[in-house]
Amino acid sequence: MLKPSAPTSNHLRTLNLSLFDQLAHRVYVSILFNYLPINTCNKLQQSLAHTLTKFYPLPGRFRENDHQLSIHCNGQGVEYVETKVNADLAKFLHEPLVDLLPKMDHRPSSPLLGVQVNVFNCGGLIMGIQVSHIVADAFTLATFVNEWVYTSLTGTTKDCLQISFGLLSSLFPTRVLSGPQYSPPPPNSTTRPKIFTKRFVFDALAIANLKNTIEDSTTSSS
């Protein structure tokens, strides 16, 4: 368990979730990052510990006595794993990406964030991240990763970055819900629906043409 570099302030120890968080599926959102050969594992741990001080709910845990409607921001830590992969990154990218994500399950005592750094023979690495969908959406995850990257490169956190948690819960508090609640089947279930993913790649020329089209249309309308 990797803990924040500084403890969370007492007045931030409890984070009430919003109604939208309450309705979110009890699943982990996953993302993979591929990097060319670099030697940054120690730097990754240090910068992650500093980044977690700003994103203090992530190293916390769900409170077990309130049906996971709040997070105890106790700095218990996030799961951090480093693995050695007996293959080269270039070859592995053409094969199914398996076992590159930390093993996570949604229990009150489980970490809300997991990171697995997979180092290949060539020195390249694939970093897999899983975060609870209840506490982080895609925007929050992207903000967290960008802050982590900045801290890893510079050794400091962004002074201008002000993270505010709890605003949504003040506007849309949780409540007692009636009727059955949907929960996705377990990963090994035979009734689990098939999920299809499509990847769209835009090269530099396509993006430049798109920008020119937008600029031309803006000029015409003005």
Side-chain angles (χ1 to χ4, degrees):
M1 288 299 158
L2 185 66
K3 297 184 178 182
S5 59
T8 304
S9 302
N10 289 332
H11 70 284
L12 299 175
R13 287 298 182 96
T14 299
L15 175 66
N16 294 321
L17 299 179
S18 71
L19 176 63
F20 299 103
D21 301 322
Q22 182 183 9
L23 296 175
H25 296 332
R26 267 52 178 171
V27 296
Y28 284 88
V29 179
S30 306
I31 189 169
L32 293 169
F33 295 96
N34 307 324
Y35 294 96
L36 295 175
I38 49 178
N39 184 19
T40 61
C41 287
N42 291 334
K43 184 185 294 186
L44 285 175
Q45 293 185 47
Q46 297 172 3
S47 56
L48 176 57
H50 287 296
T51 306
L52 290 174
T53 60
K54 282 194 172 184
F55 294 81
Y56 55 89
L58 296 182
R61 296 293 186 272
F62 287 117
R63 288 191 179 274
E64 298 188 39
N65 57 354
D66 67 353
H67 304 288
Q68 298 185 1
L69 300 184
S70 68
I71 298 174
H72 183 30
C73 306
N74 54 5
Q76 191 169 339
V78 302
E79 182 171 327
Y80 183 89
V81 181
E82 290 183 5
T83 71
K84 178 65 176 177
V85 183
N86 188 22
D88 289 331
L89 179 58
K91 179 181 178 180
F92 198 76
L93 290 177
H94 294 87
E95 301 174 2
L97 300 179
V98 294
D99 299 329
L100 298 181
L101 292 167
K103 298 296 185 293
M104 312 287 289
D105 55 7
H106 243 295
R107 295 179 297 174
S109 59
S110 299
L112 304 180
L113 173 71
V115 176
Q116 182 169 317
V117 180
N118 308 278
V119 183
F120 289 76
N121 289 337
C122 61
L125 62 84
I126 294 180
M127 183 166 62
I129 300 177
Q130 294 213 98
V131 63
S132 172
H133 188 39
I134 302 176
V135 299
D137 56 11
F139 177 79
T140 305
L141 179 57
T143 304
F144 167 75
V145 171
N146 286 332
E147 173 68 8
W148 184 8
V149 170
Y150 179 87
T151 303
S152 181
L153 292 175
T154 65
T156 61
T157 57
K158 294 180 182 178
D159 294 334
C160 60
L161 181 63
Q162 299 296 327
I163 307 297
S164 177
F165 297 98
L167 177 60
L168 194 61
S169 61
S170 65
L171 300 175
F172 304 95
T174 57
R175 61 173 184 259
V176 178
L177 301 177
S178 59
Q181 302 299 314
Y182 170 78
S183 59
N188 57 352
S189 173
T190 57
T191 60
R192 187 174 180 83
K194 291 184 177 180
I195 300 177
F196 297 91
T197 302
K198 291 185 178 180
R199 180 169 178 257
F200 299 90
V201 179
F202 300 89
D203 58 23
L205 179 60
I207 295 177
N209 291 335
L210 180 60
K211 288 182 178 179
N212 292 333
T213 302
I214 296 175
E215 292 175 356
D216 293 341
S217 61
T218 303
T219 304
S220 301
S221 60
S222 60

